[in-house]
Amino acid sequence: MNIKQQSFRTIWPVADGQAVDIQAVEVIDQTSLPHEFRIVRITTLQAMIHAIRTMQVRGAPLIGASAAYGMALASKASAEDAALAAAAQALLASRPTAVNLRWAVQRMLQHLLALPVQERRDAAWQEAAVICDEDVALNKAIAAHGLGLLRAIAVTRQSAGVLNILTHCNAGWLATVDWGTALAPVYAAHEAGMQVHVWVDETRPRNQGASLTAWELGQHGVPHTVITDNAGGHLMQHGQVDVVIVGADRVSGAGDVCNKIGTYLKALAAHDNQVPFYVAVPSPTIDWQIVDAQRDITIEERDADEVGFMQGRLDNGELARVSLLPEGSAVANPAFDVTPARLVTGIITERGVCSPAQLVALFEQPVNG
Ligand SMILES: CSC[C@H]1O[C@H](OP(=O)(O)O)[C@H](O)[C@@H]1O
C-alpha cells in the first residue's frame, strides 16, 4: 500500500550482496511505527524467528509469509530433510496462535521434501514468493466482497452520509503482505468514493490499533478516530457504529473466531446493540481441524513487560519507554480470545460473505467432529 505515495509490501526478497540470486528478506519493522519507519534486512532463520517473536512482523497472514521465507533462509544453510524439519519446528515455536504459521510451514515442508535436495533452495524462494502473491490476491478478493457488504450496510445504517466502521487491533495491510483483511474492504470503499470513517481501537497492550492501524489509514488518507478499547460499547449504544469488522488469527470450521484480546468484548457489545459484527478471513486462517475452539486453540501468553511498559515519543522528539505499574504487581497478558460463532454476523472470505454456519459448505469441507 502507499507510504508517502510510494507503493510498499510488508515483506520482500532481496539479493544479500554475497550471491547473485535472492538470499535475504527485508521487512517493515512494525515495532518502530508510528514514530519511525525502519526497514530490517533478515538473512538467517534465527533472525526471522526473532522478527516473528518480537512482532517486528505480525498479523496472521504476514506471520505465515514470514515463516515461508524463514524456511527459504534455512535452506541456505542446508536443504537436507533433517535440517528443514528442524527449521520448521523452530518456526512453529515462535508464536502459537495464528494458524497461518503452521499452514505456511507445512506447505513449504511438503513442497521442498518432494524435490531433490539440490533443487530445494531455489524452490524455497520461489514458493515463498508464490505464498506472498497468493496472500495479496486473497485479500483483494476479500476487499471486493467486503465492498459489496459495506454498500449494502450503508443503504440501511449509515448516518449523515458516512459509514462508521469500528475495528480492533491491526488487520490492515501491515498484518498481511498487502491490502489487509479487515481493512481491505475499507480501502476499497474509500477508493470507490464511499464516505467511510473508522473508529480505531487502540488495542492494549501492544497498541496495534493506535500505532499501526491509525498510521496506515493516515498514510492512505482514510478518515479515522483513535479510541480507547473501552469506548467501543458506548459508541455502539449511541448509534455511532454502523458495523464492526475485525481480522482473525484462527477460525474454526464452525465460525468460532480467535483474534486479538478484546475482540470478544466488542462482539458482545455489538450483539447487545444489534450492530453487525463481521470477520475478514482468508482461507489459510481457517483451521478445519478445530472441534472446540475454546479448548483446541492455544492462546499465546506474552511477556508481562508488554503490559507494564509503554513506548512513545517525548515532547523533545526522543523515543522513550516508561513504566506503568507499581513495584510487585502481578501481570496477566493473554494475547488473544475466542469469539463464539453465535456472536458473529458474517465472515468475509475470498469466496464471498457467509454466515458462520455456511463456512464449511462455502469451502466444500468435510464436517468436523
Ligand atoms: C489479519 S490478521 C491480524 C490479526 O493479527 C493480530 O495479532 P498480532 O498483532 O498479535 O499478530 C491481531 O489478532 C489481528 O486481528
Side-chain angles (χ1 to χ4, degrees), residues 37-359:
F37 178 71
R38 290 178 64 231
I39 291 171
V40 171
R41 174 164 296 192
I42 297 172
T43 59
T44 66
L45 168 66
Q46 286 312 319
M48 183 58 86
I49 289 170
H50 173 79
I52 294 170
R53 186 171 284 138
T54 61
M55 297 173 66
Q56 285 179 306
V57 292
R58 36 114 344 248
L62 178 55
I63 289 172
S66 301
Y69 275 119
M71 292 297 287
L73 289 164
S75 71
K76 288 166 59 177
S78 168
E80 298 292 339
D81 291 19
L84 293 178
Q89 288 310 310
L91 282 161
L92 288 171
S94 57
R95 291 192 76 188
T97 305
V99 69
N100 307 63
L101 177 55
R102 184 186 78 194
W103 170 85
V105 166
Q106 287 179 344
R107 171 164 161 174
M108 291 294 290
L109 207 49
Q110 186 176 355
H111 182 76
L112 298 180
L113 294 183
L115 298 172
V117 172
Q118 65 274 16
E119 296 177 12
R120 291 175 178 177
R121 195 183 73 173
D122 289 348
W125 289 95
Q126 290 161 14
E127 187 68 5
V130 167
I131 285 173
C132 288
D133 290 343
E134 286 178 0
D135 180 62
V136 175
L138 293 176
N139 299 338
K140 284 183 176 177
I142 285 173
H145 292 303
L147 175 57
L149 173 70
L150 292 183
R151 290 190 194 281
I153 292 172
V155 169
T156 59
R157 285 191 67 102
Q158 77 177 24
S159 46
V162 177
L163 189 69
N164 287 299
I165 301 156
L166 184 143
T167 195
H168 188 69
C169 196
N170 173 255
W173 72 271
L174 287 171
T176 68
V177 175
D178 203 346
W179 266 93
T181 58
L183 294 187
V186 174
Y187 288 124
H190 177 71
E191 292 182 3
M194 282 182 69
Q195 300 299 308
V196 294
H197 165 264
V198 182
W199 297 111
V200 177
D201 274 0
E202 61 179 346
T203 316
R204 284 278 292 147
R206 289 293 300 246
N207 297 318
Q208 290 96 320
S211 301
L212 303 178
T213 297
W215 182 81
E216 68 168 79
L217 289 173
Q219 289 292 326
H220 223 69
V222 179
H224 60 281
T225 304
V226 178
I227 55 175
T228 62
D229 293 323
N230 298 323
H234 164 74
L235 293 171
M236 293 185 213
Q237 286 175 320
H238 290 265
Q240 294 182 269
V241 179
D242 297 312
V243 58
V244 177
I245 306 182
V246 298
D249 293 83
R250 192 181 298 236
V251 175
S252 74
D256 301 312
V257 175
C258 181
N259 196 48
K260 183 54 53 193
I261 193 78
T263 303
Y264 170 52
L265 295 178
K266 288 298 156 356
L268 284 172
H271 187 72
D272 193 51
N273 291 281
Q274 296 81 47
V275 173
F277 182 90
Y278 283 88
V279 188
V281 182
S283 50
T285 305
I286 304 173
D287 183 347
W288 302 108
Q289 298 171 24
I290 294 285
V291 175
D292 177 339
Q294 293 289 0
R295 182 197 67 200
D296 298 342
I297 299 176
T298 301
I299 300 295
E300 181 182 16
E301 181 75 30
R302 290 190 62 89
D303 194 287
D305 282 359
E306 291 188 353
V307 177
F309 292 84
M310 181 87 82
Q311 177 170 307
R313 183 166 57 189
L314 302 175
D315 291 344
N316 66 9
E318 289 175 13
L319 296 181
R321 179 174 178 264
V322 296
S323 170
L324 302 175
L325 305 180
E327 283 291 322
S329 291
V331 171
N333 184 16
F336 300 96
D337 59 27
V338 174
T339 298
R342 63 181 170 81
L343 297 177
V344 178
T345 307
I347 300 173
I348 310 167
T349 77
E350 68 270 20
R351 294 192 182 188
V353 182
C354 69
S355 70
Q358 294 167 327
L359 194 59

